Amino acid sequence: FFNNDEYVKPKILLFGLRRSGKSSIQKVVFHKMSPNETLFLESTNKIVKEDINNSSFVQFEIWDFPGQIDFFDPTFDSELIFGDCGALVFVIDAQDDYLEALSKLNQTVTKAYKVNPRIKFEVFIHKVDGVSDDFKIESQRDIHQRATDDLQDAGLDIHLSFHLTSIYDHSIFEAFSKVVQKLISQLPTLENLLNILITNSGIEKAFLFDVVSKIYIATDSAPVDMQTYELCCDMIDVVIDLSDIYGVSAEERANQEQTAFDNLSSSLIKLNNSTILYLKEVNKFLALVCILREENFTRQGVIDYNFLIFRESIGRVFELRSKKLKSNNDDLS
Ligand code: GDP
């Protein structure tokens, strides 16, 4: 389970016109850059992958228009690009004229669908900070309409999902969480395990987080409240920052092998409104963050014991998956 080679991660491709916000999204979600710093980012002009793949649950690549991609170029290996892709995210700048973006969206979706009809297509209507709610609703309606009309005119029945996003709030993390969750076939099992954990431990809400990106890959079935989610995200930042400063020796940091987040990571924060935030590491990529009332935290031993069982089950869920994938591959070869 902890072995990277056996572990198959959801692969997400990020497409969009130049300056639509792709590198900003990547920097903010995967590299903890603050949104204001993205103002000075150089525009994307190469494919960005590798760098986060070893530290995150999610595999992630950025593809840029125009220039970098020409679908009609014979050297463009669409089988390679789209063959094992789980989701294709297309970023549209809502503050800009989006007609060109819509035509690229159409080309990209059509091409990708032909290679791999199982891809989930997700459209991020991006940079919706600083625009009115009316404008948001209207542009989502308009973009939705035009994009699906174009596909239908071409006789294609492809489902597109739409998300309103901005790097200036948590909407970008929330949107990514939804995208990633669709790619996890064990989601119902994970949700079920979380439900069992919270009912038996007096927990109000629990999220299973990909630590590096703060995307939650599953949560219990109680509704998600944005504020609670933001609180949990902030907790991860605090824990990682503190561990980075005090949890890794200078030597370990120098050879960059040791990450501050390891299998003993755990943290507890008491807020002054009788709420407790409790974080426990689950594996190399994932952490559980729970919110509970202080009066339910009197028997920490029970919670910790339940957590151990939970962690073991999560381990088995993913172990099964890698075994299954492996045997499928063996059958194929
Ligand atoms: P790329 O070429 O698609 O990689 O685009 P960049 O990431 O370089 O972004 C282009 C510009 O858009 C930068 O100046 C960013 O600061 C800005 N930007 C990105 N995301 C947002 C957003 O959510 N809201 C606003 N207002 N600006 C954004």
Side-chain angles (χ1 to χ4, degrees):
F1 179 42
F2 293 97
N3 182 342
N4 261 336
D5 303 334
E6 277 190 32
Y7 191 72
V8 181
K9 302 187 250 176
K11 177 171 158 190
I12 298 180
L13 302 181
L14 196 64
F15 280 76
L17 291 188
R18 188 154 289 174
R19 306 298 290 162
S20 55
K22 299 177 298 299
S23 4
S24 310
I25 294 176
Q26 189 221 5
K27 293 286 181 202
V28 170
V29 176
F30 294 100
H31 296 279
K32 285 186 65 168
M33 185 182 269
S34 82
N36 289 322
E37 287 174 77
T38 65
L39 289 171
F40 313 108
L41 273 181
E42 300 258 326
S43 205
T44 323
N45 46 24
K46 59 177 175 30
I47 309 156
V48 190
K49 40 183 185 185
E50 263 91 56
D51 52 351
I52 55 149
N53 288 350
N54 288 329
S55 52
S56 169
F57 181 78
V58 189
Q59 255 191 305
F60 189 75
E61 286 175 27
I62 295 185
W63 286 81
D64 203 12
F65 286 111
Q68 194 185 93
I69 318 160
D70 176 4
F71 293 133
F72 303 102
D73 180 342
T75 58
F76 180 82
D77 191 344
S78 44
E79 293 285 340
L80 189 75
I81 312 299
F82 300 123
D84 63 345
C85 162
L88 191 158
V89 174
F90 196 98
V91 184
I92 296 181
D93 182 343
Q95 295 187 6
D96 199 14
D97 176 23
Y98 44 72
L99 288 182
E100 192 192 346
L102 281 171
S103 109
K104 294 290 182 192
L105 168 68
N106 186 279
Q107 278 179 22
T108 315
V109 168
T110 312
K111 184 79 189 178
Y113 184 82
K114 280 192 184 130
V115 175
N116 179 359
R118 292 180 311 279
I119 295 181
K120 303 268 186 270
F121 294 102
E122 313 280 344
V123 181
F124 285 8
I125 302 170
H126 190 55
K127 307 194 192 177
V128 290
D129 48 279
V131 302
S132 69
D133 283 349
D134 284 350
F135 183 89
K136 277 188 210 174
I137 294 166
E138 180 49 30
S139 43
Q140 177 163 12
R141 196 201 53 75
D142 191 43
I143 290 176
H144 187 147
Q145 179 93 44
R146 287 169 189 265
T148 37
D149 281 357
D150 283 354
L151 287 171
Q152 269 162 9
D153 288 349
L156 292 164
D157 183 24
I158 305 175
H159 179 77
L160 307 177
S161 306
F162 295 86
H163 311 260
L164 292 164
T165 57
S166 161
I167 53 169
Y168 286 93
D169 56 33
H170 282 71
S171 57
I172 191 70
F173 295 95
E174 171 84 10
F176 259 114
S177 302
K178 299 232 169 85
V179 170
V180 171
Q181 283 170 27
K182 282 192 203 165
L183 305 181
I184 302 175
S185 53
Q186 310 85 338
L187 186 66
T189 316
L190 297 180
E191 286 174 345
N192 216 351
L193 288 171
L194 284 160
N195 282 336
I196 297 171
L197 175 76
I198 67 160
T199 22
N200 292 316
S201 317
I203 295 169
E204 312 257 303
K205 184 82 194 146
F207 292 95
L208 193 56
F209 270 100
D210 176 32
V211 176
V212 165
S213 60
K214 287 176 287 174
I215 288 168
Y216 67 95
I217 67 158
T219 181
D220 59 274
S221 42
V224 177
D225 150 48
M226 240 347 200
Q227 258 183 331
T228 313
Y229 173 58
E230 287 177 24
L231 204 56
C232 294
C233 286
D234 289 345
M235 176 170 197
I236 291 187
D237 280 341
V238 170
V239 173
I240 296 294
D241 285 349
L242 273 180
S243 318
D244 271 342
I245 298 171
Y246 299 107
V248 186
S249 71
E251 203 177 303
E252 284 167 334
R253 196 172 301 136
N255 59 31
Q256 288 190 339
E257 274 170 12
Q258 182 81 14
T259 53
F261 183 78
D262 65 21
N263 62 350
L264 294 175
S265 293
S266 143
S267 169
L268 189 139
I269 296 180
K270 284 187 189 177
L271 302 178
N272 63 4
N273 62 354
S274 318
T275 307
I276 285 187
L277 294 172
Y278 197 26
L279 176 147
K280 300 278 256 173
E281 96 59 76
V282 174
N283 66 38
K284 194 169 169 217
F285 307 109
L286 305 177
L288 180 81
V289 185
C290 311
I291 296 208
L292 64 164
R293 307 213 46 79
E294 206 169 343
E295 63 261 26
N296 290 335
F297 200 66
T298 43
R299 292 183 303 158
Q300 188 183 349
V302 174
I303 297 180
D304 285 346
Y305 179 76
N306 287 343
F307 171 74
L308 282 180
I309 310 274
F310 171 80
R311 177 155 82 176
E312 224 179 274
S313 319
I314 296 273
R316 279 208 296 274
V317 169
F318 285 108
E319 209 176 325
L320 271 180
R321 172 161 92 159
S322 54
K323 271 193 192 139
K324 217 157 96 188
L325 282 166
K326 222 167 163 239
S327 69
N328 282 352
N329 287 344
D330 289 348
D331 288 350
L332 286 175
S333 56

